[in-house]
Amino acid sequence: MTRTPASLVRAEPGPPYEITFDGRPLTALPGQSIAAALWAAGILSWRTTRDGGAPRGAFCAVGTCYDCLATVNGRPNRRACIVPARPGDAVTTQKGSGHDELAV
Ligand code: FES
């Protein structure tokens, strides 16, 4: 038997639903944060830094460090570690501040 965090606490989440990451369909479970759904799919990085474009993902996982910023449904700078995944969410890689297209 595979041990998972859900099995360890005997969680019985509702039915899974679909979100997308950069257009790729992923499965999320009720109660998962966007970061948790990305991790479960093996995705560890969903942002690049303003200086140098270094990859970033979740670091603190409690909403403090802001390393996990993602663009969700076209809205940049969402902390993926504390934003719940919702059915149909479209998560996209955030480049820099998420407002690069506005730069002059
Ligand atoms: S991982 Fe630190 S704020 Fe989300």
Side-chain angles (χ1 to χ4, degrees):
M1 176 178 159
T2 301
R3 293 174 57 176
T4 66
S7 69
L8 290 172
V9 298
R10 298 188 182 116
E12 296 178 18
Y17 49 81
E18 186 176 290
I19 67 172
T20 61
F21 174 66
D22 288 344
R24 169 183 158 195
L26 307 176
T27 299
L29 293 171
Q32 278 188 319
S33 66
I34 286 175
L38 294 174
W39 277 338
I43 299 165
L44 303 179
S45 173
W46 50 84
R47 178 174 78 87
T48 56
T49 59
R50 282 178 287 182
D51 295 324
R56 290 290 184 270
F59 182 69
C60 72
V62 292
T64 303
C65 74
Y66 290 73
D67 253 13
C68 65
L69 297 177
T71 299
V72 180
N73 301 323
R75 189 172 166 199
N77 298 316
R78 305 285 291 159
R79 284 176 285 172
C81 70
I82 59 172
V83 173
R86 305 267 187 228
D89 276 347
V91 183
T92 52
T93 296
Q94 179 169 322
K95 295 179 181 163
S97 67
H99 297 287
D100 290 353
E101 71 280 1
L102 301 176
V104 288

